[in-house]
Amino acid sequence: MQTPSGHPVESTSAKRLVVLASGGGSNLAALLAAHDDAAYGARVVGVVTDNPAAGALDLAHDAGVASVVVSPKDFHDRSAWNDGISEAVAVFLPDYVVLAGFMRILAPSFVRRYEGRLVNTHPALLPSFPGAHGVRDALAHGVKVTGCTVHLVDEGVDTGPIIAQSAVPVLDGDDEGMLHERIKIAERALLVETVGRIAREGLYVAGRQVTIG
Ligand code: GRF
């Protein structure tokens, strides 16, 4: 949907997404590319980062989306930083919060506040290879197939209920960078598809079983 001047108009029914990202932001870019289509059902209304140099900030700016830097360096301790993140996200009144390459652990209070509405993408087939080095660990283990996982966040590290997964073969000669780039192609597609479906159809959670629609 667009105004006569060509600017996108927020659909009243679109779910409000706040995206947290620490790095280059290619997953954010994929969500921003999807959200201009009113039929997508979700719209990125805010971007929050812990990293003042995050590429995500430029992407948000170019897309006309508000962004906030909440750097741990600006807070006297971890608890104060977490309160800062929590407030920065809350002002956008999100329906869903998407962690798209957000490389810090959020406090249990944040996780509880957005329980069932906090979605993470991880570059491995969970429950294998959780943590910050999912691609490196999969490669070191010698697996022949890895991939990506979109999951709800609980208070553990990459332990929440799985929403969707996509497999990516490991090829002879792969190094971490090569494999991660191929995973990220699958990851962007999976994240965009999954978040859109959640926004349009709703998410039903029974223990570890998650169903969309
Ligand atoms: C993704 O693979 C994400 O799962 C991982 O870091 C990468 C972030 O990529 N935690 P980008 O910043 O979205 O390009």
Side-chain angles (χ1 to χ4, degrees):
M1 199 188 312
Q2 296 199 327
T3 63
S5 59
H7 290 105
V9 171
E10 192 165 325
S11 158
T12 48
S13 61
K15 295 288 189 267
R16 299 173 64 83
L17 306 179
V18 172
V19 177
L20 273 61
S22 300
S26 69
N27 282 286
L28 168 64
L31 288 167
L32 289 169
H35 84 167
D36 277 337
D37 181 354
Y40 183 59
R43 192 154 184 89
V44 180
V45 295
V47 171
V48 177
T49 183
D50 58 320
N51 174 13
L57 290 168
D58 292 334
L59 292 168
H61 178 266
D62 293 349
V65 171
S67 59
V68 186
V69 179
V70 187
S71 169
K73 290 186 186 133
D74 298 331
F75 293 84
H76 57 84
D77 64 17
R78 193 173 160 69
S79 164
W81 173 77
N82 194 75
D83 290 346
I85 283 274
S86 202
E87 281 166 30
V89 170
V91 294
F92 292 113
L93 303 174
D95 293 303
Y96 295 95
V97 178
V98 180
L99 308 183
F102 190 68
M103 301 308 286
R104 290 182 192 273
I105 308 289
L106 292 159
S109 58
F110 185 97
V111 173
R112 282 195 293 271
R113 181 171 187 169
Y114 294 105
E115 186 181 6
R117 301 187 291 138
L118 182 55
V119 174
N120 182 45
T121 176
H122 180 75
L125 292 175
L126 295 171
S128 293
F129 313 116
H133 303 293
V135 181
R136 186 188 307 174
D137 294 346
L139 206 50
H141 200 84
V143 297
K144 301 301 181 200
V145 177
T146 183
C148 49
T149 303
V150 174
H151 67 97
L152 284 169
V153 177
D154 65 10
E155 292 180 28
V157 176
D158 302 325
T159 52
I162 292 167
I163 306 171
Q165 292 183 301
S166 184
V168 174
V170 179
L171 304 181
D172 290 346
D174 265 350
D175 63 21
E176 183 181 357
M178 293 157 68
L179 179 57
H180 199 174
E181 282 310 310
R182 285 209 317 288
I183 290 172
K184 282 172 68 169
I185 293 169
E187 192 176 20
R188 291 189 285 267
L190 186 72
L191 184 67
V192 167
E193 184 200 343
T194 305
V195 168
R197 285 192 61 209
I198 291 170
R200 295 187 302 274
E201 301 173 39
L203 196 60
Y204 301 89
V205 185
R208 290 205 61 86
Q209 309 306 315
V210 180
T211 313
I212 301 175

